[in-house]
Amino acid sequence: MSLVLDPAAQDLLFREARTANTFTDEPVTDEQVQAIYDLVKYGPTAFNQSPLRVTLVRSAEARERLLPHMAEGNRAKTATAPLVAILSTDHEFHEELPRLMPHAPGIAEAFFSERPVREAAGSVNAALQAGYFIVGVRAAGLAAGPMTGFDFAGVQKEFLDADHTPLMIVNIGKPGEDAWFPRSPRLEYEDVFTTV
């Protein structure tokens, strides 16, 4: 059985898509970021909670504040990427539920009144949205370099607050020279799927 999605789109989003390690100096515009969000915001989350928040690091001053928190192997590419996005989980996402689920008044209090419940639900659903975000960056014809090699507490203190926990940092731009490491192997279908 073939997929409905055009093979060229399959390649763009998955087969040929790679984590970029170098970038050109071509800027990533606010219009591109808006187009990415306008596409990926429709990806489903539980109760439509949409807990992902994105901090765009554009200024040289903000970049200099970020670099010391990056793992050594991630600093150079983060220093030169046209745009860097800090993806985080908003643990107060329930405050938006009346707007996001107007057909279910009281849902925030019924399911998400306690912080530990919000942290667990928010983390899973923000990670799901982070995956959509990466695919959206690829759909815009850009390369994404998602990373978890950084000081989470340091990034939170420098850029966020106690209600926002960093998930990952994503370098974004057009791939530069020697942008790709060799592709690593993937598990096969039978390694992943079990039928019961």
Side-chain angles (χ1 to χ4, degrees), residues 30 33 54-59 62 83-86 133 172:
D30 289 334
V33 176
V54 182
T55 303
L56 298 176
V57 179
R58 284 202 180 275
S59 71
L83 182 62
V84 180
I86 301 169
F133 181 80
I172 304 169

Side-chain angles (χ1 to χ4, degrees), residues 2 15 55 59 64 68 81 83 85 100 102 108 125 169 172:
S2 63
R15 288 193 203 99
T55 303
S59 71
E64 288 304 312
L83 182 62
L100 296 172
N125 286 280
I169 292 175
I172 304 169

Side-chain angles (χ1 to χ4, degrees), residues 115-138:
R115 174 74 179 234
V117 173
R118 292 195 305 274
E119 288 180 353
S123 295
V124 168
N125 286 280
L128 183 61
Q129 287 186 283
Y132 301 146
F133 181 80
I134 292 165
V135 172
V137 168
R138 294 171 175 176

Side-chain angles (χ1 to χ4, degrees), residues 189-196:
Y189 178 89
E190 58 273 7
D191 299 320
V192 176
F193 286 84
T194 303
T195 301
V196 294

Side-chain angles (χ1 to χ4, degrees), residues 119-161:
E119 288 180 353
S123 295
V124 168
N125 286 280
L128 183 61
Q129 287 186 283
Y132 301 146
F133 181 80
I134 292 165
V135 172
V137 168
R138 294 171 175 176
L142 300 168
M147 302 168 290
T148 56
F150 62 91
D151 175 3
F152 280 67
V155 167
Q156 182 176 27
K157 183 176 179 182
E158 191 72 39
F159 292 95
L160 306 171
D161 59 32

Side-chain angles (χ1 to χ4, degrees), residues 64-176:
E64 288 304 312
R65 288 170 39 217
L66 176 61
L67 290 177
H69 300 292
M70 300 304 297
E72 188 174 333
N74 291 332
R75 279 191 198 129
K77 54 190 167 186
T78 303
T80 58
L83 182 62
V84 180
I86 301 169
L87 307 189
S88 63
T89 305
D90 180 1
H91 297 297
E92 298 299 311
F93 67 83
H94 68 301
E95 294 175 356
E96 302 294 340
L97 287 179
R99 181 162 57 130
L100 296 172
M101 292 198 65
H103 57 283
I107 196 132
E109 296 79 18
F111 288 94
F112 301 111
S113 62
E114 296 187 22
R115 174 74 179 234
V117 173
R118 292 195 305 274
E119 288 180 353
S123 295
V124 168
N125 286 280
L128 183 61
Q129 287 186 283
Y132 301 146
F133 181 80
I134 292 165
V135 172
V137 168
R138 294 171 175 176
L142 300 168
M147 302 168 290
T148 56
F150 62 91
D151 175 3
F152 280 67
V155 167
Q156 182 176 27
K157 183 176 179 182
E158 191 72 39
F159 292 95
L160 306 171
D161 59 32
D163 290 328
H164 295 80
T165 302
L167 278 175
M168 67 180 67
I169 292 175
V170 183
N171 293 327
I172 304 169
K174 293 283 187 182

